[in-house]
């Protein structure tokens, strides 16, 4: 359908025109056809998500225990157990629901945009809002967002491998095809999920959403699936190990308790409650929330993580391969030098402000036909636009092309005005393989070809030079002089571009115009390093992360920038793409660790670098923005796409997108990734302290005194209030000072180190020893059992609140961090303490939890004892820091 109709007929059928739909009509069609999205799998409803919290085997046992209690007449115990189970379910539900919502937010933030014509203007709209009849503008690198019939095709090639399996890009046209033409051969159509690899074009959208070819195959290439993280797998293993160990201990003590004379049903209830308390059932959900919240914090730091597992990779990254332009630099190219008519001119002005002038040996250059010809060539062989809003200049398009448009504007040559008399009728687009671009433009004198590109490539196309007002032969001597000038400009960290022109026959094929051209001159432009990049690279070095520059720029330019910002170190190697080609795989692998700069490289070279570094055992992050960067981005452990200049193809191949194209944001993301893992480890250690302490208290209490120091419902309460809010608050802890001075985490490293396990065991044992000490003293004093159990019950809870402060950092003192720098933790602790006070002093809860009111003197004992949990850990941290110093 549509492929066998003329373009005009298709526009008529769809009731649209090349000026596009109006905004109002687009909204009407959106209501009629729906969003341009594929139907997703049915999401779990909130009710099902809530009920799923009660599928745990231990929770089911607890519910059975409550039913047994009710059957035996212990209604209070039954109600308390059921209420506790319900609250635990609510907590798990809230955690998982928040994680789902966080992931939905991330998906919405990665929604791609498309360039369309609406109300007669080119505008970017989210792809989901496209409708049949929209006029789509296609450029190299774009992913096709909907099925469309081509209206214009300038050297347009589309990679349809995702749809047809054909690896070679298909050359497109606007010719009418036979009705029976099969889909793979419909060269006048573009399909959802395919990508533009070459040229440009215009098309009218014919189908969206489930009506597209991809919709019929039931899946978009770019759809992001929520994956189970390796971290969650480790958590499950850890939970199963801890659960098995706990159940063995609990079963042993429960049986022993029965032999010691305890009521079997009471021991059954106690055993189930202790098992539930000891097993961190909610840990995976808490971790998912911690990851999702951390990823949302990364968004604020201009790093959009598309897949949660990538957070772990960030914590392990030890090599960052980065492009130069826009990532390490400001991406505001400014022409500073012009070589024309054998003379070097300097240009004033900064950024994209069309304000400045041209000087020769300190004197302003007025009218000059050579300079005029060069600036006209640069402006016409160009796809960038210059805009001024409120006195601030900006460009639309490529920064390098923008610099040429701005340079021409400084001499009063405005591209829109120029194109009125020089209409473009053909072009050969720029590609990284050709390293040049050519346009064909009409004029009063005839048709002219204008070219720009790498100086050596442009010179190879030229046989003449515009010199002294005439087109003269380009002799070997003049060619050598130009190349020497190129090297001099490159040594000044300028990006050098050559320009040429030629009058051509009207019917010439664009590719045939790129020979026997006239050399017009050179322009040298500079994209200064971002101010924050030097610091960011130094931070990487301190963090054990090496930075490597991979760029298409001239070797001398790349080297100068790399040395200026600290990437190049004395003794490092700088390789060109041709030199890289000359090396065998084994030879290159042997030297890859010594190379800090790769210049004049093609996309396939990036893949070679990534593979070599990975074979050496490095965890590699790679930046990219082009279509051809996709293989390297996919091959890297962490593919990082540019959010501003990056193509949709590169974004889809990536694990993370930089919304500001800034290298410093990568460093921020690495820091945040490390911090997320640090926080997860810390609240696991916090939870271990709680579970170890409670198990030891009851174990020794039953064995030594044949007394339950805390009863079942109290254990459940401890589990509920201490494993709820505090761990969530710990996941919000800011990065430690010195976090980025530590070496990268090994990907094989476990969740809990031996050091942290020893600390958790020690603190758990401390809480147990204090509680058992209170038990022994209280028994000697003849204190009633409910009072003893209330004292121990409260001591454990308050001790764990002090312990929460310990695990804000496993190295630094809480006092050096600042007591009040994590307000969510303060609120979590205060809320937990208030809940504990309610359990002690509210009459209804006193009955439920078998507690009695505590006096001021009781609190005078509990608080000092509980605070030792914090004091002991502070002393241990101090001694460890002193030993390291």
């Amino acid at each position: 359908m549509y492929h066998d109709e003329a373009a005009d007929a298709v526009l008529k059928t769809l009731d649209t025109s090349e000026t596009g739909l109006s905004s109002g009509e687009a909204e009407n069609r959106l209501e009629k056809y729906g969003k341009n999205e594929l139907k997703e799998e049915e999401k779990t409803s909130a009710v099902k998500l809530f009920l799923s919290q009660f599928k745990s085997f231990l929770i089911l046992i607890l519910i059975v225990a409550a039913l047994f209690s009710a059957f035996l007449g212990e209604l209070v115990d039954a109600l308390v157990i059921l209420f506790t189970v319900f609250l635990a379910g609510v907590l798990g539900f809230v955690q998982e629901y928040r994680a789902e919502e966080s992931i939905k937010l991330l998906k919405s933030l990665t929604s791609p945009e498309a360039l369309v014509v609406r109300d007669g203007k080119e505008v970017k709209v989210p792809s989901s809002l496209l409708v049949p009849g929209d006029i789509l503008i296609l450029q190299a690198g774009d992913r096709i967002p909907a099925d469309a019939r081509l209206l214009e095709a300038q050297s347009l090639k589309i990679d349809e491998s995702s749809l047809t399996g054909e690896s070679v890009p298909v050359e497109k046209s606007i010719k009418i095809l036979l009705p029976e033409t099969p889909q793979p051969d419909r060269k006048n159509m573009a399909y959802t999920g395919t990508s533009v690899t070459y040229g440009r074009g215009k098309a009218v959208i014919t189908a969206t959403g489930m009506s597209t070819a991809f919709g019929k195959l039931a899946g978009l290439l770019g759809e992001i699936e929520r994956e189970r993280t390796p971290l969650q797998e480790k958590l499950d293993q850890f939970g199963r190990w801890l659960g098995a160990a706990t159940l063995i201990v609990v079963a042993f003590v429960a049986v022993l308790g029965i032999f010691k004379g305890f009521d079997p049903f009471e021991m059954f209830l106690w055993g189930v409650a202790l098992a539930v308390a000891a097993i961190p059932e909610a840990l995976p959900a808490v971790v998912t929330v911690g990851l999702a919240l951390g990823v949302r914090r990364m968004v604020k730091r201009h790093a959009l993580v598309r897949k949660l597992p990538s957070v772990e990779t960030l914590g392990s990254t030890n090599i960052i391969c980065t492009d130069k332009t826009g990532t390490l630099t400001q991406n505001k190219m400014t022409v500073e030098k012009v070589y024309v008519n054998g003379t070097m001119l300097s240009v004033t002005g900064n950024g994209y402000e069309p304000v400045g002038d041209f000087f020769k040996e300190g004197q302003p250059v007025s009218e000059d036909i050579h300079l005029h010809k060069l600036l006209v060539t640069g402006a016409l062989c160009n796809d960038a636009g210059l805009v001024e809003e409120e006195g601030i200049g900006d460009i639309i398009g490529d920064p390098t092309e923008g610099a040429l448009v701005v340079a021409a504007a400084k001499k009063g040559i405005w591209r829109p005005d120029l194109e009125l008399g020089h209409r473009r009728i053909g072009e050969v687009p720029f590609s990284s393989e050709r390293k040049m671009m050519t346009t064909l433009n009409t004029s009063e004198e005839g048709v002219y070809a204008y070219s720009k590109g790498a100086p050596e490539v442009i010179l190879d196309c030229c046989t003449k030079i515009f010199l002294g007002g005439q087109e003269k032969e380009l002799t070997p001597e003049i060619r050598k002089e130009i190349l020497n000038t190129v090297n001099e400009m490159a040594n000044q960290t300028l990006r050098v571009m050559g320009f040429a022109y030629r009058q051509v026959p009207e019917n010439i094929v664009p590719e045939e115009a790129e020979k026997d051209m006239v050399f017009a001159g050179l322009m040298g432009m500079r994209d200064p390093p971002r101010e924050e990049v030097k610091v960011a690279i130094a931070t990487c070095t301190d963090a054990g992360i090496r930075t490597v520059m991979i760029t298409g720029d001239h070797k001398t330019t790349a080297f100068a920038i790399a040395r200026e910002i600290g990437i190049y170190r004395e003794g490092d190697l700088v390789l060109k793409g041709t030199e890289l080609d000359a090396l065998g795989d084994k030879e290159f692998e042997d030297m890859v660790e010594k190379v800090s700069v790769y210049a004049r490289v093609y996309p396939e070279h990036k893949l070679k670098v990534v593979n070599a570094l990975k074979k050496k055992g490095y965890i590699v992050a790679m930046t990219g923005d082009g279509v051809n960067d996709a293989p390297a981005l996919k091959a890297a452990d962490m593919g990082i796409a540019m959010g501003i200049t990056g193509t949709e193809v590169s974004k889809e191949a990536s694990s993370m997108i930089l919304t500001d194209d800034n290298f410093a944001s990568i460093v921020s993301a690495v820091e945040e990734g490390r911090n997320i893992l640090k926080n997860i480890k810390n609240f696991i250690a916090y939870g271990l302290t709680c579970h170890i302490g409670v198990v030891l208290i009851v174990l020794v209490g039953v064995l030594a005194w044949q007394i339950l120091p805390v009863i079942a419902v109290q254990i459940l309460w401890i589990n509920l209030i201490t494993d709820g809010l505090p761990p969530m608050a710990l996941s919000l802890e800011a990065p430690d000072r010195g976090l980025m001075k530590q070496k990268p985490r090994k990907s094989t490293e476990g969740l809990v180190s031996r050091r942290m396990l020893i600390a958790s065991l020690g603190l758990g044992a401390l809480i147990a020893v204090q509680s058992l000490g209170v038990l022994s003293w209280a028994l000697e004093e003849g204190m009633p059992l409910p009072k003893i159990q209330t004292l121990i019950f409260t001591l454990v809870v308050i001790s764990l609140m002090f312990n929460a402060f310990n695990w804000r950092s496993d190295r630094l003192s809480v006092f050096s961090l600042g007591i009040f720098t994590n307000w969510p933790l303060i609120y979590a602790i205060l809320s937990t303490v208030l809940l504990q006070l309610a359990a002690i002093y509210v009459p209804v809860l006193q009955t439920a939890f078998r507690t009695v009111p505590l006096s001021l003197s009781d609190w005078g004992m509990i608080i000092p004892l509980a605070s030792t949990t914090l004091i002991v850990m502070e002393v241990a941290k101090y001694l460890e820091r002193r030993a390291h110093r």
Side-chain angles (χ1 to χ4, degrees):
M1 189 177 180
Y2 299 113
H3 64 277
D4 57 347
E5 298 179 47
D8 290 343
V10 174
L11 291 172
K12 187 175 181 181
T13 302
L14 294 168
D15 193 18
T16 186
S17 69
E18 291 200 34
T19 58
L21 300 172
S22 66
S23 299
E25 177 62 20
E27 288 182 16
N28 292 336
R29 295 193 183 193
L30 188 62
E31 287 186 22
K32 178 180 178 181
Y33 295 104
K35 286 192 174 183
N36 181 32
E37 297 172 338
L38 291 185
K39 289 181 181 176
E40 297 185 358
E41 293 180 12
E42 185 180 345
K43 299 297 181 183
T44 304
S45 68
V47 173
K48 287 183 179 178
L49 187 62
F50 179 69
L51 293 176
S52 70
Q53 306 303 315
F54 305 100
K55 290 182 179 179
S56 162
F57 177 70
L58 289 172
I59 290 291
L60 291 175
I61 291 178
L62 202 57
I63 293 172
V64 172
L67 295 175
F68 266 108
S69 296
F71 178 74
L72 296 175
E74 298 288 341
L75 293 178
V76 173
D77 281 354
L79 288 173
V80 169
I81 292 172
L82 288 174
F83 180 68
T84 308
V85 168
F86 175 76
L87 286 180
V90 169
L91 177 65
F93 166 75
V94 169
Q95 289 168 339
E96 290 196 21
Y97 185 77
R98 288 184 66 183
E100 290 286 349
E101 291 303 305
S102 297
I103 293 164
K104 283 181 187 176
L105 172 66
L106 297 181
K107 284 190 175 184
S108 68
L109 287 170
T110 58
S111 174
E113 292 184 323
L115 186 63
V116 298
V117 180
R118 283 198 183 163
D119 299 314
K121 299 177 182 177
E122 291 185 7
V123 294
K124 279 189 174 183
V125 300
S127 296
S128 61
L129 302 183
L130 295 177
V131 294
D134 265 327
I135 304 299
L136 195 63
I137 306 299
L138 302 176
Q139 298 171 332
D142 287 349
R143 178 163 292 283
I144 309 297
D147 288 2
R149 168 67 156 88
L150 294 170
L151 304 175
E152 294 178 11
Q154 300 286 342
S155 305
L156 185 66
K157 292 182 181 180
I158 295 181
D159 178 2
E160 296 184 343
S161 59
S162 57
L163 186 64
T164 64
E166 176 60 51
S167 59
V168 179
V170 178
E171 190 167 347
K172 293 293 184 176
S173 73
I174 60 172
K175 293 179 181 178
I176 303 170
L177 303 174
L178 295 173
E180 60 271 19
T181 306
Q183 183 177 297
D185 296 329
R186 294 175 187 172
K187 295 187 177 182
N188 58 9
M189 296 291 293
Y191 295 102
T192 304
T194 61
S195 54
V196 180
T197 60
Y198 197 78
R200 55 200 295 225
K202 184 185 289 187
V204 57
I205 293 176
T206 58
T208 58
M210 296 303 292
S211 299
T212 62
F214 245 101
K216 291 168 186 175
L217 293 175
L220 276 173
L221 250 187
E223 193 173 45
I224 301 169
E225 298 291 340
R226 183 181 177 189
E227 298 177 11
R228 187 169 180 77
T229 71
L231 179 61
Q232 287 174 314
E233 295 289 351
K234 291 177 185 176
L235 283 167
D236 275 358
Q237 293 173 4
F238 172 73
R240 285 193 293 271
W241 173 83
L242 183 62
T246 303
L247 285 173
I248 291 170
V249 173
V250 167
F252 169 72
V253 177
V255 171
L256 185 64
I258 292 171
F259 278 113
K260 291 282 188 178
F262 284 100
D263 177 62
F265 177 72
E266 186 179 3
M267 291 309 299
F268 170 74
L269 281 179
W270 168 81
V272 172
L274 183 59
V276 173
I279 297 173
E281 295 171 297
L283 197 55
V286 174
V287 168
T288 302
V289 174
L291 286 171
L293 291 176
V295 168
R296 291 178 73 174
R297 288 197 299 273
M298 287 185 186
V299 171
K300 295 178 182 177
R301 301 180 77 172
H302 308 292
L304 175 60
V305 175
R306 297 176 67 237
K307 301 174 184 178
L308 288 180
S310 305
V311 174
E312 288 182 86
T313 310
L314 280 170
S316 308
T317 298
N318 45 26
I319 290 253
I320 299 176
C321 298
T322 176
D323 190 15
K324 177 182 76 67
T325 306
T327 309
L328 300 174
T329 57
Q330 295 178 19
N331 204 17
K332 289 189 176 181
M333 299 292 288
T334 305
V335 174
E336 294 186 354
K337 299 285 184 181
V338 169
Y339 178 77
V340 66
N341 195 29
T343 305
M344 185 69 73
L345 308 180
S346 59
V347 190
T348 59
N350 293 310
Y352 299 135
E353 298 292 333
V355 178
D357 212 339
F358 295 76
F359 291 83
K360 178 182 176 181
E361 298 177 353
Q363 298 298 315
V365 176
S366 54
E367 295 301 319
D368 186 290
I369 56 173
H370 306 91
L371 177 60
H372 185 270
K373 177 66 77 173
L374 176 64
L375 295 176
V376 165
T377 301
L380 289 175
C381 185
N382 204 309
D383 288 322
L386 174 63
V387 294
E388 284 188 281
E389 293 183 7
E390 298 179 1
I392 299 174
D394 199 2
I395 60 106
I396 299 173
D398 180 75
T400 300
E401 291 195 324
L404 303 179
V405 173
V406 172
K410 289 177 181 178
K411 265 299 179 185
I413 303 169
W414 297 89
R415 183 173 169 238
D417 298 335
L418 191 64
E419 288 183 327
L420 292 176
H422 298 76
R423 184 171 58 87
R424 185 183 297 188
I425 58 173
E427 69 177 277
V428 186
F430 178 87
S431 72
S432 56
E433 289 77 22
R434 287 169 20 84
K435 295 187 183 297
M436 69 178 293
M437 171 185 177
T438 299
T439 64
L440 298 180
N441 298 77
T442 61
S443 72
E444 292 179 357
E445 294 83 20
V447 177
Y448 275 81
Y450 296 102
S451 295
K452 72 173 188 295
E456 60 270 28
V457 175
I458 293 295
L459 280 171
D460 286 342
C461 297
C462 294
T463 56
K464 297 179 181 180
I465 181 173
F466 189 39
L467 195 65
Q470 297 178 344
E471 294 179 359
K472 298 181 179 179
E473 181 187 354
L474 182 62
T475 64
E477 292 76 19
I478 296 176
R479 187 183 297 269
K480 184 177 180 181
E481 180 185 339
I482 292 170
L483 289 174
N484 287 337
T485 303
V486 169
N487 287 328
E488 289 174 12
M489 294 171 75
N491 285 330
Q492 298 171 38
T493 72
L494 295 174
R495 182 175 186 180
V496 188
M497 188 167 281
F499 299 83
Y501 67 93
R502 172 193 171 197
Q503 188 169 7
V504 296
E506 289 186 10
N507 59 350
I508 193 170
V509 177
E511 285 81 359
E512 292 296 315
E514 295 177 334
K515 59 185 178 182
D516 297 325
M517 302 192 81
V518 182
F519 186 77
L522 303 169
M523 290 197 216
M525 59 201 77
R526 174 180 169 83
D527 181 12
R530 293 175 182 264
E531 294 179 4
E532 62 273 27
V533 160
K534 258 187 189 178
V535 176
I537 288 172
T539 301
C540 281
T541 303
D542 290 342
I545 302 170
R546 188 164 149 245
T547 308
V548 174
M549 179 194 289
I550 306 180
T551 179
D553 269 354
H554 198 281
K555 184 175 181 177
T556 50
T557 304
F559 168 72
I561 290 287
R563 183 173 56 185
E564 182 182 348
I565 61 181
I567 287 180
Y568 176 83
R569 298 164 300 183
E570 202 64 42
D572 284 355
L573 298 177
V574 180
L575 284 184
K576 289 196 302 184
T578 51
E579 294 168 334
L580 190 56
D581 283 332
L583 296 171
D585 289 345
K586 184 66 174 66
E587 188 180 3
F588 177 52
E589 285 172 27
D590 291 338
M591 64 187 299
V592 68
E593 293 173 293
K594 300 174 184 176
V595 183
S596 62
V597 180
Y598 297 88
R600 276 289 192 257
V601 295
Y602 291 102
E604 54 266 28
H605 293 137
K606 290 187 176 184
L607 187 59
K608 188 173 182 177
V609 172
V610 169
N611 289 334
L613 288 169
K614 288 179 72 174
K615 284 182 181 178
K616 284 287 187 179
Y618 289 100
I619 305 298
V620 184
M622 164 68 76
T623 69
D625 59 4
V627 176
N628 292 330
D629 290 329
L633 290 174
K634 283 186 176 179
D637 297 288
M638 190 76 187
I640 303 172
M642 302 296 107
I644 299 173
T645 61
T647 61
E648 294 306 326
V649 177
S650 65
K651 291 175 187 177
E652 183 177 311
S654 69
S655 303
M656 186 172 82
I657 298 171
L658 297 184
T659 58
D660 62 350
D661 291 11
N662 191 341
F663 179 85
S665 296
I666 303 176
V667 182
S668 297
V670 169
E671 181 182 35
E672 195 63 62
R674 288 187 175 189
N675 187 52
I676 289 169
L677 286 169
K678 180 260 298 182
N679 288 342
I680 288 172
K681 288 185 170 187
N682 285 347
F683 65 63
I684 288 174
Y686 160 82
L688 272 178
T689 303
C690 168
H691 303 307
I692 290 168
V694 172
V695 170
L696 288 175
I697 289 168
V698 180
L699 179 63
V700 178
V702 170
L703 291 175
W705 286 279
Q706 298 182 12
I707 287 175
L708 285 172
V710 282
I711 61 174
V713 291
Q714 292 172 350
I715 293 172
L716 291 170
W717 183 250
I718 291 171
N719 185 43
L720 179 68
I721 65 172
T722 60
D723 276 6
L725 295 175
M728 288 294 297
L730 286 173
S731 72
L732 299 172
E733 185 66 37
D736 283 356
R737 294 190 307 277
L739 184 65
M740 290 299 285
K741 292 187 181 293
Q742 300 173 21
K743 297 302 177 188
R745 164 185 172 272
K746 293 180 181 178
S747 56
T748 55
E749 187 179 317
L751 286 178
V752 181
S753 65
R754 180 186 299 178
R755 172 175 162 275
M756 295 177 77
L757 184 59
I758 291 171
S760 296
L761 282 168
L763 291 171
L766 174 63
I767 293 172
V769 167
Q770 291 176 343
S771 299
L772 294 169
V774 169
L775 173 63
S776 176
W777 166 79
L779 288 173
E780 289 180 6
E781 293 293 317
M783 196 175 291
L785 186 57
K787 177 69 176 289
I788 296 173
Q789 290 171 331
T790 303
L791 281 171
I792 295 174
F793 175 37
T794 306
L795 175 60
V796 170
V797 171
I798 303 303
S799 294
L800 290 172
M801 293 306 97
F802 278 105
N803 183 49
F805 283 111
N806 284 330
W807 293 107
R808 289 182 59 191
S809 171
D810 66 321
R811 300 180 304 108
L812 302 178
S813 165
V814 69
F815 300 103
S816 67
L817 292 172
I819 294 289
F820 300 105
T821 51
N822 186 340
W823 277 103
L825 182 62
I826 299 294
Y827 296 142
I829 289 172
L830 288 175
S831 300
T832 305
V833 171
L834 287 173
L835 288 170
Q836 182 64 20
L837 291 174
I840 297 170
Y841 295 108
V842 175
V844 174
L845 296 179
Q846 284 177 349
T847 304
F849 292 106
R850 312 285 174 81
T851 57
V852 297
L854 298 178
S855 64
L856 284 176
S857 61
D858 294 329
W859 284 104
M861 175 182 64
I862 288 172
I863 292 175
L865 279 175
S867 67
T868 58
T869 312
L870 175 61
I871 294 167
V872 167
M873 189 66 166
E874 284 290 308
V875 171
K877 288 178 182 177
Y878 169 75
L879 293 175
E880 185 180 48
R881 289 195 302 272
R882 185 173 178 181
H884 283 170
R885 283 199 297 268

